[in-house]
Amino acid sequence: MKIDHTQPLEYSTQQNQLNIFGFWIFLGAEIMLFATLFTAYFIMENRTGNGPTGPEIFEIGPVLFETFILLTSSFTIGLAVHAMRIGRKKAMLAFLGVTLLLGVAFLSAEINEFVHYYHVGATYQTSGFTAALLTTLGTHGGHVTLGFFWGVCILIQVMKDGINARTANKSFIFSLYWHFLDVVWIFIFSFIYLKGLM
Amino acid sequence: MEFFERFAVPNPNPAIYASMVAIVVVSLAIIIGLTYFKKWGYLWREWLTTVDHKKIGMMYLISALLMLFRGGVDALMLRAQLSMPDNKLLDPQHYNEVFSTHGIVMIIFMAMPFIFAFMNLIVPLQIGARDVAFPRLNAISFWLFAAGAMLFNISFVIGGSPDAGWTSYFPLAGTEFSESVGTNYYMIAIQISGIGSLMTGINMITTILKMRAPGMTLMKMPMFTWASFMACVIIIFAFPVLTIALLMGTTDRLFATNFFTTTNGGMDMLWANFFWVWGHPEVYILILPAFGIYSEVISTFSGRNLYGYKSMVGSMVIISLLSFLVWTHHFFTMGQGALTNSIFSISTMAIAVPTGVKIFNWLLTMWKGKIRFTVPMLYSVGFIPLFTIGGVTGVMLAMSAADYQYHNTMFLVAHFHNTIIPGVVFAMLAGLTYYWPKMFGFMLNERIGKWGFWFLSIGFVLAFFPMYITGLNGQARRMYTYSEATGFGPLNFVAFIGAGLMAIAFCLIVYNIFYSIKHSPRNVGDDPWNARSLEWATHNPVPEYNFARTPHVASSEAFWDAKKHGHELFKGEIEEIHMPNYSGVPFIMGVIFFICGFSFVFSLWIPAIVSLIGIFACMVLRSFEKDDGRLISVEEIKATESKFESAEEIKTAVSTYGGANS
Amino acid sequence: MKELFPVKQVGGYLFSLVLTIVALIVYFMDFSFPVAMTILLVTAFVQAAVQLVLFMHAGETEDGTAIYTNVLYGIIIAMVTIIGSLLIFVWDM
Amino acid sequence: MKLKGTLLLLLSMLVVFLSGCEPLLVLDPKGPQAERQASDIMISIGIMAFIVIVVMVLLVYMLVKYRASRLPDDYEPPHIEGNPILEGILIGVPIIIVAILSFITVKSNYIVESTPEGYEDQEPLVIYASSSNWKWHFSYPEQDIETVNYLYIPTDRPIEFKLYSFGPITSFWIPQLGGQKYAMADMVTTLHLAADTPGEYMGRNANFSGKGFAENTFTVTAMTQTKFDEWVDEVHETAEPLTEDTFEQLLEPGHLGRMTFTGTHLGFSPAPEHEHSDDEMDSGEEHKMHAEKEREMHTEHAAHE
């Protein structure tokens, strides 16, 4: 592997550059994935059948909590990448750890939210609306879950091997993924919850 | 016993039992053969674990040909059933299963791997790269495709085939009206291979944008690379829609959600919408690489550079955008207002403009050229008028008010076969013949190839042109029979004869492969067609590292420049080459995906969860793996190169094959 | 400690918090549908842009153009799909 | 040149067919909508045939003139980049053609989606046409009659079909009166037709709907208003009333012959007409209360568990 030292570590080999670029293309596909879910949601929004409607089941408190958590985790993963770039392994690990913890907090809040929906009669099978809502939230939540395990793998590798071309590349790509999930959440927050509650 | 009952075929008939026996016999024959000839190790080392883009391409190619036969046999059964009024060859249930699988197999498991085969084989060579950007991912893509294809193909012997059409409109495809697991197979098999397609799309875009040879700017890429690039752009934005639609369909069927049901707020139209949001771009995913192959072939055999390179590129970019703006024309009759229909009608017709530009550019490429009628060129020449007819009938269908009369009729069936067969299938056969020496180092027989072409073209015209007429006479598509009074009989019989001729053509093509393996001369050299673009600047068959030295490029016809204008393609000394390592993980992942998919089809939750965990385990394993690939030494490269060069010297006396004959 | 918290990141974070609060206004105030939607659209897209440019460093390499084109293309097609579907099923049915 | 020969032969065959030695259903219209569509089809076939011929002539010219066997051995084809003017023409002409067709199409769209031309001043006859596996039910609310698998309509009066389905998506199509439209389970679509001349026409479901799809047809008989009125009277004298039970039986999957009833199923099994407005945002208090009750029930249910 040829390492080009004029570049930041995560870009320092040809393969590293390819990985980052390829991941961006993947994110392009992810935009469309979530756009499809949003399309379904917007069309199904009022097709509640005999089930409850959005405004009846949404609660602003937990949603704000989730939003704040995810925003902050997006901030901390940014700090982790910054720490990585200035070569501060411990700080990077700390920020990465905080990010993952916030991820867990977000997930538990979301699971709590789903349990709440279940109790108020908005299950997966209730109506077109609940199916679209839970699939959209669930797909995002699934991404976060996957991201959590991915992040743990990276955390272990950075601990073991330190910051090198390989781990830096992985961490950077992971940060892209995590930021992207935050962007998706912003849209969920605005166009599912706030639009439903306004 | 009760557990096994679910795997029984719900609508058995002798043909299905015969197929079961045939499948078992063939599988046994393969296993015994591999053991007897001690080829298991070879198979594993050279093919199942390969990450070489050329071998993956060949595997795609073989799969596509196999699937072409599966789909072709389905087609023959359909035409035979309709050849006469009140025919009793197939009952309605089997007819429904056969046309559903015909459509899915042909689009998803024949046409897609066919284009991926050429993308894999040719794109890295055309841009002077050693491999694709993510060789391991490429192998995973292939094995996911293979898992999906296998899963889909076992449906008719285990549990029953899908029977709701390749479009699987809900609620017909819902659990209420489609009780067998057939539609589960549809949802999950396509999902798995669709994920593979998406990965290929990402892989190819990265390869094309980041791994081009020095000097090759975007506007100096060969046309097939441009076409593949635009097709992959469509892939990455279209396939996620399919992923979600299939996910929703799966949950509707397996978990009783209400996306596409008719109660509790479900909306059956939403499936049709998503299906076509993916489905329409999909046809451009198929046709753009085909256009790319025609561009290469026509330019090579006209002995001229491609006319209007810039407008060719521009038209493809526009097509890729427009392809996402037209999906509603598949359901003009669904009750939306005249305004919506008008918008989508105009956007659909607009696609005719860039497509027309391409047709005229090909014609102008022949202008002042020196046309050699080889088999690939024959296919291209046949393509132009036939595809034009397909295209203009497309414009007719795009007129939404008139579409109320064409929709769901044989006119529509005739139209899309008229674009896909001369458009995609002809291109793939042209590409197969054209790139055969690139893959294997010998040529396919021209004489048999030409017979194949004529049978195919005439068969095609006979098979599909009558459908335009019966469609306008009121024959709806997907009817398993019709009465004599309708008067559809004679023309349908003509169509059956046409289908028979096409079947003969495909047999000839396969016979040609076997014939050529036995009889074709092996010393065809590196440039058997007097070609123009970079992929011909290396040896036939291509060594694993593609190019011994990185080529330097100054135009879209780098090889022609080197041959005619003294352009120096290869500068400097041979250096050691970095190549990726082979890996068994992609194959294993494919197997696990197959098991996972199968478990989902039959709602076997424990194996489903176990195999899902297996998939994640593979991903974690990959994350921790440290694999920097391997290096090929300079001596090894030199040894390989000199072998090719000595072969080249023997050959110089032999005249260029496929030269100015005919 | 200070070098671990660069102005760009902290500023971006604060800005997105502000945007979230602005978006939240539609919950507390009684806007008409078009006004509220405009607020939501603006805040959401600005916030997405903040993430993209400040946090994800989309434009930092020579591939910046390709990356932005990719994202833009994705957004355009996403909007077309959403608006087209709404047109078919809600606005012009 | 075999291919070109075959193509030309087939094209001329097509023209012969279309110009009507034995008229094709779609091109033998018996009502204003079908007439409009048929004329659109003929115009587009004309323009398209012109394009196909141009392409073929150019292709034959290139192939004949520039085939290698007719050119000297030392002929080297020139290198030609694109020519902006020529390419401009190649883009411009198709754009003009597309513009012409777009103009026609948009106009036709609005025509086929409204009361047929020449019938605007008449009150349309509303017929509810619903499909079930694999039959068609026609309800005449005005006449209080319901038929199965056959349709009697008066000529010279606009007809408004309200389409919906008791099962898979189907498509209501009477080629000689006009194009098709989907019938679906959760909404009602509207199709405007009219018959100019009395006669018997083929009607069918054009959208695949399962095993019995091929036989999912019906006949349409168009007759003068007086004859239609006579038929209505006759039905009222002779036919049985349609009960909910009978109707449930009719909905069972299968094929039925022609059947006639007095009364319609719209009373006890109404068309899904208002589904849409029901779902609007301002669904009102009633909806909320309903949901509230539902929620209580669920919590109760959960508590029990």
Side-chain angles (χ1 to χ4, degrees):
Chain A
M1 280 274 135
K2 262 185 250 155
I3 296 182
D4 177 358
H5 292 286
T6 61
Q7 298 269 3
L9 269 177
E10 63 269 27
Y11 288 105
S12 59
T13 67
Q14 156 89 3
Q15 190 62 45
N16 275 5
Q17 292 184 17
L18 292 178
N19 291 349
I20 293 173
F21 188 78
F23 198 79
W24 272 106
I25 305 293
F26 171 72
L27 290 184
E30 288 273 69
I31 291 178
M32 205 52 207
L33 187 99
F34 282 102
T36 312
L37 287 164
F38 275 109
T39 311
Y41 179 78
F42 291 148
I43 289 170
M44 302 297 236
E45 201 172 10
N46 298 314
R47 303 179 70 94
T48 49
N50 297 323
T53 65
E56 289 166 7
I57 58 171
F58 293 157
E59 287 175 328
I60 191 80
V63 171
L64 273 179
F65 175 72
E66 287 164 12
T67 309
F68 177 71
I69 292 279
L70 214 54
L71 260 179
T72 310
S73 80
S74 179
F75 172 58
T76 53
I77 190 71
L79 293 178
V81 167
H82 177 75
M84 180 185 88
R85 284 190 171 175
I86 57 174
R88 302 277 291 266
K89 181 181 162 190
K90 271 193 185 147
M92 182 213 170
L93 284 173
F95 283 129
L96 188 55
V98 170
T99 307
L100 295 177
L101 285 178
L102 288 170
V104 173
F106 170 83
L107 281 173
S108 42
E110 191 157 56
I111 290 168
N112 209 27
E113 188 186 329
F114 285 0
V115 171
H116 161 73
Y117 291 158
Y118 178 80
H119 284 300
V120 297
T123 67
Y124 204 25
Q125 285 88 2
T126 305
S127 66
F129 159 71
T130 59
L133 173 75
L134 294 176
T135 305
T136 311
L137 296 180
T139 308
H140 178 264
H143 274 75
V144 175
T145 315
L146 210 72
F148 171 75
F149 288 111
W150 183 12
V152 170
C153 289
I154 289 169
L155 193 79
I156 295 169
Q157 289 178 50
V158 175
M159 270 203 277
K160 263 177 35 192
D161 303 347
I163 300 170
N164 59 26
R166 179 198 316 278
T167 52
N169 186 242
K170 288 184 180 185
S171 312
F172 185 77
I173 292 174
F174 174 72
S175 82
L176 290 182
Y177 180 76
W178 201 265
H179 288 307
F180 177 78
L181 291 183
D182 187 41
V183 174
V184 173
W185 182 261
I186 292 162
F187 282 86
I188 291 179
F189 172 66
S190 303
F191 297 108
I192 292 184
Y193 292 114
L194 287 185
K195 182 171 171 273
L197 285 168
M198 75 189 186
Chain B
M1 216 44 226
E2 207 176 307
F3 175 78
F4 289 103
E5 265 166 31
R6 70 180 82 189
F7 300 118
V9 181
N11 306 290
N13 77 353
I16 289 178
Y17 289 128
S19 320
M20 284 182 191
V21 175
I23 289 172
V24 172
V25 170
V26 171
S27 314
L28 275 177
I30 291 173
I31 291 169
I32 292 170
L34 282 171
T35 317
Y36 182 78
F37 293 108
K38 303 204 173 64
K39 289 289 185 193
W40 284 106
Y42 165 78
L43 185 69
W44 176 259
R45 278 192 311 273
E46 294 295 318
W47 295 95
L48 301 186
T49 59
T50 189
V51 296
D52 182 342
H53 70 98
K54 298 173 288 290
K55 285 187 176 164
I56 289 174
M58 287 177 208
M59 291 195 289
Y60 270 123
L61 196 66
I62 293 165
S63 326
L65 286 173
L66 287 175
M67 287 296 117
L68 180 63
F69 268 79
R70 161 88 213 262
V73 170
D74 284 346
L76 272 183
M77 282 156 71
L78 299 175
R79 290 326 310 168
Q81 163 65 19
L82 285 186
S83 62
M84 271 176 258
D86 300 312
N87 203 351
K88 293 283 185 294
L89 185 69
L90 295 174
D91 61 40
Q93 177 61 29
H94 282 115
Y95 186 84
N96 297 348
E97 290 175 11
V98 171
F99 78 67
S100 303
T101 48
H102 167 73
I104 299 155
V105 164
M106 285 302 202
I107 296 283
I108 311 261
F109 300 120
M110 186 283 283
M112 287 299 279
F114 231 141
I115 66 159
F116 286 152
F118 289 115
M119 280 188 198
N120 268 297
L121 282 165
I122 303 307
V123 166
L125 294 174
Q126 276 197 334
I127 62 174
R130 301 249 180 261
D131 205 319
V132 294
F134 312 111
R136 182 78 77 88
L137 188 68
N138 200 24
I140 294 178
S141 294
F142 173 76
W143 290 113
L144 287 190
F145 154 75
M150 286 306 293
L151 191 61
F152 189 82
N153 276 287
I154 59 164
S155 68
F156 81 113
V157 285
I158 305 176
S161 294
D163 57 358
W166 89 280
T167 50
S168 271
Y169 272 17
F170 282 80
L172 183 63
T175 37
E176 192 187 347
F177 297 105
S178 187
E179 287 163 5
S180 82
V181 294
T183 308
N184 296 356
Y185 271 115
Y186 171 98
M187 298 288 162
I188 288 159
I190 297 179
Q191 183 74 285
I192 292 173
S193 73
I195 295 169
S197 305
L198 182 61
M199 296 304 153
T200 305
I202 294 169
N203 212 336
M204 284 294 157
I205 290 182
T206 315
T207 310
I208 293 170
L209 285 181
K210 294 281 293 177
M211 294 173 77
R212 296 191 306 276
M216 188 181 278
T217 58
L218 279 180
M219 291 309 272
K220 284 177 184 162
M221 293 198 302
M223 197 46 68
F224 178 70
T225 301
W226 253 114
S228 303
F229 176 42
M230 288 330 290
C232 289
V233 167
I234 305 179
I235 286 178
I236 61 162
F237 294 113
F239 268 80
V241 182
L242 181 71
T243 304
I244 292 300
L246 291 172
L247 174 74
M248 291 171 169
T250 310
T251 58
D252 258 18
R253 288 189 59 87
L254 297 182
F255 307 118
T257 51
N258 285 301
F259 284 107
F260 310 129
T261 57
T262 53
T263 48
N264 289 324
M267 190 187 215
D268 46 3
M269 289 176 280
L270 193 61
W271 166 266
N273 188 55
F274 283 152
F275 184 85
W276 290 115
V277 171
W278 161 79
H280 198 82
E282 164 70 15
V283 304
Y284 290 95
I285 294 169
L286 301 180
I287 202 74
L288 286 182
F291 285 172
I293 286 181
Y294 289 128
S295 300
E296 301 293 344
V297 167
I298 291 176
S299 154
T300 298
F301 295 106
S302 302
R304 262 207 48 201
N305 65 315
L306 192 65
Y307 186 89
Y309 180 92
K310 280 181 199 149
S311 59
M312 283 301 227
V313 172
S315 60
M316 284 196 293
V317 174
I318 292 172
I319 288 176
S320 83
L321 256 177
L322 279 179
S323 70
F324 285 96
L325 298 175
V326 299
W327 75 93
T328 309
H329 69 223
H330 293 274
F331 45 84
F332 276 142
T333 58
M334 211 160 68
Q336 61 274 25
L339 172 70
T340 312
N341 278 356
S342 301
I343 293 171
F344 284 97
S345 185
I346 293 170
S347 64
T348 306
M349 283 191 262
I351 291 189
V353 177
T355 316
V357 169
K358 297 189 84 73
I359 298 260
F360 285 110
N361 278 343
W362 287 314
L363 286 171
L364 287 167
T365 303
M366 295 181 203
W367 177 53
K368 293 197 178 168
K370 193 175 187 180
I371 300 170
R372 287 174 286 155
F373 289 100
T374 56
V375 171
M377 187 61 175
L378 275 183
Y379 279 113
S380 312
V381 168
F383 150 78
I384 290 177
L386 292 176
F387 185 79
T388 306
I389 295 174
V392 297
T393 52
V395 175
M396 291 168 68
L397 279 154
M399 299 176 66
S400 45
D403 181 67
Y404 285 21
Q405 292 281 27
Y406 303 129
H407 188 59
N408 270 329
T409 67
M410 294 311 274
F411 190 93
L412 170 74
V413 174
H415 155 71
F416 70 71
H417 283 94
N418 205 164
T419 51
I420 291 179
I421 293 176
V424 183
V425 179
F426 277 26
M428 295 307 134
L429 295 173
L432 183 78
T433 324
Y434 184 57
Y435 286 120
W436 192 266
K438 192 87 252 161
M439 288 181 268
F440 301 107
F442 63 92
M443 314 279 276
L444 289 175
N445 184 288
E446 282 281 300
R447 237 177 85 84
I448 307 174
K450 283 178 184 170
W451 276 103
F453 165 76
W454 285 112
F455 268 100
L456 191 62
S457 303
I458 294 169
F460 166 78
V461 168
L462 288 179
F464 292 100
F465 282 21
M467 293 182 194
Y468 284 119
I469 298 164
T470 58
L472 285 178
N473 203 16
Q475 186 183 5
R477 70 194 290 207
R478 297 171 171 177
M479 291 190 336
Y480 88 99
T481 193
Y482 50 88
S483 70
E484 195 160 359
T486 55
F488 303 149
L491 284 173
N492 275 291
F493 192 74
V494 173
F496 174 57
I497 293 173
L501 292 183
M502 290 173 81
I504 295 173
F506 287 120
C507 292
L508 278 173
I509 287 158
V510 172
Y511 170 68
N512 194 2
I513 291 174
F514 287 110
Y515 180 88
S516 306
I517 288 174
K518 261 186 144 171
H519 299 293
S520 266
R522 287 303 190 268
N523 49 351
V524 294
D526 292 346
D527 183 22
W529 302 112
N530 194 14
R532 310 175 75 85
S533 45
L534 189 58
E535 73 268 30
W536 297 99
T538 181
H539 307 294
N540 291 334
V542 186
E544 63 163 332
Y545 47 78
N546 292 356
F547 295 92
R549 286 169 294 174
T550 311
H552 291 254
V553 174
S555 84
S556 64
E557 300 187 313
F559 185 50
W560 190 255
D561 291 348
K563 273 195 294 191
K564 302 283 168 176
H565 309 302
H567 171 76
E568 197 188 343
L569 262 179
F570 301 106
K571 294 173 193 159
E573 282 299 301
I574 290 177
E575 289 172 33
E576 55 181 11
I577 294 172
H578 175 256
M579 296 298 287
N581 280 328
Y582 281 17
S583 164
V585 177
F587 175 72
I588 293 167
M589 268 180 99
V591 172
I592 303 177
F593 259 100
F594 176 84
I595 297 168
C596 182
F598 187 82
S599 318
F600 268 102
V601 167
F602 287 96
S603 309
L604 305 169
W605 302 122
I606 293 166
I609 290 165
V610 171
S611 49
L612 274 178
I613 292 171
I615 292 165
F616 289 121
C618 287
M619 288 158 79
V620 171
L621 219 67
R622 173 64 175 152
S623 176
F624 282 93
E625 193 180 347
K626 287 174 192 164
D627 175 11
D628 286 331
R630 71 208 148 89
L631 291 171
I632 303 178
S633 67
V634 176
E635 294 76 55
E636 201 183 326
I637 300 167
K638 281 187 173 153
T640 319
E641 288 295 303
S642 65
K643 228 189 299 168
F644 278 109
E645 269 148 31
S646 55
E648 187 78 355
E649 275 158 25
I650 298 164
K651 179 245 150 199
T652 33
V654 186
S655 71
T656 306
Y657 202 85
N661 55 356
S662 77
Chain C
M1 205 52 194
K2 209 180 160 206
E3 74 266 22
L4 290 177
F5 295 91
V7 181
K8 202 168 94 169
Q9 311 277 352
V10 178
Y13 177 56
L14 292 178
F15 188 45
S16 25
L17 285 180
V18 170
L19 284 168
T20 310
I21 292 163
V22 171
L24 208 57
I25 294 177
V26 303
Y27 174 69
F28 292 107
M29 308 269 281
D30 215 5
F31 290 121
S32 69
F33 185 75
V35 175
M37 272 315 275
T38 315
I39 293 173
L40 288 179
L41 277 169
V42 170
T43 52
F45 276 99
V46 170
Q47 210 174 143
V50 167
Q51 296 269 345
L52 208 65
V53 179
L54 292 184
F55 291 178
M56 294 166 87
H57 316 285
E60 71 180 357
T61 60
E62 69 211 36
D63 299 324
T65 335
I67 289 170
Y68 279 125
T69 313
N70 171 45
V71 172
L72 199 70
Y73 206 103
I75 291 171
I76 290 172
I77 294 169
M79 293 310 276
V80 164
T81 308
I82 293 173
I83 292 171
S85 303
L86 285 174
L87 180 72
I88 300 164
F89 294 116
V90 182
W91 300 331
D92 191 31
M93 197 79 194
Chain D
M1 295 304 96
K2 253 182 276 176
L3 173 66
K4 254 64 68 183
T6 332
L7 284 180
L8 283 177
L9 186 76
L10 268 147
L11 199 74
S12 48
M13 258 170 63
L14 192 74
V15 172
V16 170
F17 257 102
L18 298 180
S19 58
C21 50
E22 193 188 322
L24 302 173
L25 285 189
V26 166
L27 300 177
D28 182 23
K30 300 289 181 197
Q33 308 294 50
E35 228 161 77
R36 177 79 198 181
Q37 282 154 339
S39 82
D40 277 9
I41 291 172
M42 289 314 291
I43 292 170
S44 60
I45 287 180
I47 297 175
M48 294 302 133
F50 167 73
I51 295 172
V52 171
I53 288 166
V54 168
V55 169
M56 289 210 189
V57 167
L58 278 174
L59 179 68
V60 171
Y61 173 79
M62 302 295 175
L63 294 184
V64 171
K65 182 124 191 247
Y66 297 108
R67 57 190 308 169
S69 54
R70 294 207 178 169
L71 294 167
D73 275 349
D74 58 348
Y75 174 70
E76 271 290 321
H79 182 92
I80 309 171
E81 292 289 333
N83 175 336
I85 300 172
L86 186 56
E87 284 174 60
I89 295 172
L90 295 181
I91 297 170
V93 173
I95 287 181
I96 294 171
I97 294 176
V98 165
I100 295 170
L101 291 174
S102 302
F103 176 75
I104 299 173
T105 301
V106 173
K107 231 174 121 193
S108 301
N109 275 340
Y110 284 92
I111 288 173
V112 297
E113 286 297 337
S114 50
T115 313
E117 271 178 328
Y119 293 83
E120 290 90 344
D121 46 343
Q122 291 186 55
E123 176 71 12
L125 171 65
V126 177
I127 300 176
Y128 284 77
S130 51
S131 66
S132 68
N133 274 348
W134 292 278
K135 307 161 285 291
W136 283 98
H137 310 267
F138 300 104
S139 318
Y140 299 72
E142 192 183 319
Q143 283 75 18
D144 205 28
I145 284 178
E146 177 148 333
T147 65
V148 177
N149 287 339
Y150 78 98
L151 180 61
Y152 277 17
I153 52 170
T155 53
D156 299 323
R157 184 172 172 193
I159 304 177
E160 207 176 303
F161 285 102
K162 298 281 184 191
L163 310 171
Y164 59 102
S165 163
F166 288 97
I169 299 177
T170 54
S171 193
F172 178 86
W173 188 32
I174 308 170
Q176 287 185 285
L177 297 187
Q180 61 195 286
K181 192 159 265 190
Y182 285 177
M184 292 169 295
D186 62 345
M187 71 177 282
V188 170
T189 49
T190 309
L191 183 64
H192 301 272
L193 295 179
D196 286 335
T197 39
E200 198 159 290
Y201 309 121
M202 184 274 277
R204 65 165 298 120
N205 162 23
N207 194 56
F208 175 60
S209 62
K211 247 187 241 180
F213 163 67
E215 294 93 353
N216 196 358
T217 57
F218 57 92
T219 48
V220 186
T221 314
M223 57 192 74
T224 57
Q225 184 70 45
T226 26
K227 281 211 178 128
F228 180 75
D229 290 337
E230 280 169 24
W231 171 71
V232 170
D233 291 338
E234 192 193 310
V235 169
H236 276 286
E237 279 160 27
T238 56
E240 300 280 317
L242 179 65
T243 63
E244 200 164 348
D245 286 343
T246 335
F247 187 66
E248 287 299 318
Q249 280 170 17
L250 293 184
L251 288 183
E252 291 294 309
H255 296 286
L256 297 170
R258 292 169 162 222
M259 294 173 108
T260 318
F261 301 96
T262 57
T264 69
H265 70 259
L266 298 171
F268 47 82
S269 177
E273 259 172 318
H274 302 294
E275 197 93 336
H276 239 56
S277 53
D278 244 14
D279 289 339
E280 289 306 308
M281 295 277 247
D282 48 353
S283 50
E285 278 307 293
E286 198 190 330
H287 202 86
K288 270 213 169 108
M289 269 164 63
H290 179 77
E292 202 101 357
K293 222 160 68 189
E294 193 91 342
R295 195 185 314 172
E296 269 168 34
M297 269 167 60
H298 272 280
T299 23
E300 238 177 64
H301 189 69
H304 275 297
E305 283 172 1

